[in-house]
């Protein structure tokens, strides 16, 4: 199993915090960065290969993307300023084809128990918080017959739930999703989330929700998100 980590974005919503670095290199309590924490936890859970997509800060990420017992491959998206990560997934496909996959965003902060649950669960999985209020601007998922039917920031309703971008997929699901991503790229649809391709073929992926209620699993999209994660991880907090 490999990990695919998306780090091609510029982190524009973070303001001055990302004026000269990507979000994944923001420091966390204890001296780690978001990226180094991700790689450490992935390695501790037996992941030996990681593919990291990059954009504006390829050089910085190359310097920092190091982890014992893990082979790391960078895939640069030269069109990062004009594409969303559907295009990064398209570029990464040759490096992930034929592999089971953990797919996650580079600004995702989580605790090790999330990976423990995820890797122990059978089948293809997405990480959800069934107890959380639906966020206004972040990903939500819609269920149908116990499987993920749709992912979008625009979803609302009783059959929707808060979803964090961390997936466990078998090789067949990776192949199906990448094939649909390629179809979108050929049509010139490069400025959408990769989940737009997922939404066209949910029956081929058969992704079930994995409840991570009560566990740290949060994207860092804004300075407020960053402060909240820092406070959770800070061992000196009251």
């Amino acid at each position: 199993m490999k990990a695919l980590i998306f780090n091609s974005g510029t982190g524009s919503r973070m303001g001055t915090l990302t004026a000269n670095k990507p979000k994944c290199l923001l420091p966390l309590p204890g001296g780690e960065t978001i990226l180094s924490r991700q790689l450490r936890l992935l390695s501790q859970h037996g992941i030996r290969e990681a593919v990291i997509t990059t954009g504006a800060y390829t050089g910085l990420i190359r310097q920092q993307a190091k982890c014992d017992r893990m082979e790391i491959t960078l895939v640069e998206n030269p069109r990062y300023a004009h594409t969303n990560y559907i295009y990064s997934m398209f570029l990464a496909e040759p490096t992930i084809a034929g592999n089971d996959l953990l797919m996650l965003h580079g600004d995702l902060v989580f605790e090790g128990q999330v990976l423990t649950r995820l890797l122990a669960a059978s089948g293809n999985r997405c990480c959800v918080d069934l107890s959380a209020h639906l966020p206004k601007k972040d990903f939500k998922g819609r269920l149908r017959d116990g499987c993920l039917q749709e992912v979008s920031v625009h979803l609302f309703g009783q059959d929707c739930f808060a979803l964090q971008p961390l997936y466990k997929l078998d090789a067949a699901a990776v192949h199906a999703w990448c094939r649909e991503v390629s179809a979108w790229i050929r049509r010139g649809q490069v400025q959408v989330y990769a989940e737009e391709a997922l939404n066209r073929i949910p029956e081929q992926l058969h992704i079930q929700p994995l409840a991570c209620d009560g566990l740290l699993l949060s994207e860092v999209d804004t300075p407020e998100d960053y402060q909240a994660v820092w406070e959770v991880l800070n061992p000196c907090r009251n």
Side-chain angles (χ1 to χ4, degrees), residues 77-168:
N77 177 359
R79 299 175 60 188
Y80 68 89
H82 306 289
T83 62
N84 208 318
Y85 67 86
I86 191 171
Y87 192 70
S88 295
M89 186 171 178
F90 169 74
L91 294 176
E93 193 275 337
T95 67
I96 60 175
N99 290 273
D100 297 344
L101 193 68
L102 288 179
M103 191 170 86
L104 61 149
H105 287 194
D107 62 353
L108 195 64
V109 180
F110 49 87
E111 60 184 282
Q113 185 63 23
V114 173
L115 293 181
T116 300
R117 288 190 189 182
L118 188 59
L119 292 169
S122 61
N124 299 320
R125 297 282 179 161
C126 61
C127 291
V128 304
D129 188 337
L130 300 174
S131 65
H133 294 293
L134 294 181
K136 291 183 178 180
K137 296 183 179 181
D138 298 326
F139 276 146
K140 280 82 68 177
R142 173 171 282 134
L143 281 177
R144 180 179 299 169
D145 298 327
C147 287
L148 184 65
Q149 182 67 25
E150 185 179 6
V151 180
S152 175
V153 299
H154 304 297
L155 296 179
F156 293 95
Q158 293 184 346
D159 57 351
C160 298
F161 49 85
L163 181 147
Q164 295 292 347
L166 172 57
Y167 303 89
K168 179 171 76 77

Side-chain angles (χ1 to χ4, degrees), residues 38-49:
Q38 288 180 339
L39 294 176
R40 174 178 61 81
L41 291 173
L42 288 166
S43 178
Q44 288 176 352
H45 284 78
I47 305 302
R48 295 291 172 255
E49 295 184 65

